Amino acid sequence: MEIERRHAPVPGELLEYLRANPTAAQQAADGGVHVHVHHHYAAPEPAVPAGAIVHQGPAPTVAQKVIPWLYTALVACIILTICAVVLATVMVVAVVVLAALVLLGLVVAHIINSQTGAVEARAKAAEALNKGKHKRR
């Protein structure tokens, strides 16, 4: 006869006793063999409503409650620092690009201005040639 071991180990002394004193099978009313299986279970716990939070063990300490929030704050600070560095880099690049555009505009304005003076000088020279005020050699 093999003893089923589900919940707790059976002491060796009890196994020896059961092997030494087997119980005879009982006859059932219909002529078959009646087998009685007896289990010992822990007392049923009260039902927990669905969605309820079940706490096991001792209540968490203040440090155990605060540490996850501190990790979250640390990660948020790291992310914000990275964002600030990226923003500062973009701002520096934007200022350099704007300064380059202003300088390019000034150079183009100077070139246009100097070309305008040259065109005016050519026009005056051409006019003077056409009027004959200028002597040819």
Side-chain angles (χ1 to χ4, degrees):
M1 171 183 204
E2 184 63 31
I3 297 178
E4 182 178 348
R5 298 182 194 190
R6 281 191 188 176
H7 301 287
V10 178
E13 296 171 355
L14 183 59
L15 286 175
E16 291 174 9
Y17 173 80
L18 291 174
R19 284 191 188 119
N21 301 311
T23 56
Q26 298 175 353
Q27 292 294 326
D30 60 356
V33 177
H34 174 76
V35 177
H36 177 74
V37 178
H38 187 80
H39 294 282
H40 291 274
Y41 294 105
E45 296 181 13
V48 178
I53 298 174
V54 179
H55 296 285
Q56 295 180 353
T61 63
V62 174
Q64 290 172 335
K65 291 179 186 177
V66 171
I67 286 177
W69 291 104
L70 292 177
Y71 281 130
T72 304
L74 177 66
V75 170
C77 287
I78 291 171
I79 290 171
L80 289 175
T81 302
I82 291 170
C83 289
V85 168
V86 169
L87 182 64
T89 305
V90 169
M91 294 299 274
V92 167
V93 170
V95 167
V96 169
V97 167
L98 286 175
L101 285 175
V102 167
L103 184 62
L104 179 67
L106 289 173
V107 169
V108 169
H110 176 70
I111 292 172
I112 290 173
N113 210 7
S114 64
Q115 288 297 323
T116 304
V119 169
E120 288 175 0
R122 281 188 205 140
K124 285 181 184 178
E127 186 180 326
L129 253 159
N130 289 339
K131 288 184 180 180
K133 293 181 181 178
H134 185 69
K135 294 182 182 179
R136 286 190 170 181
R137 292 187 187 188

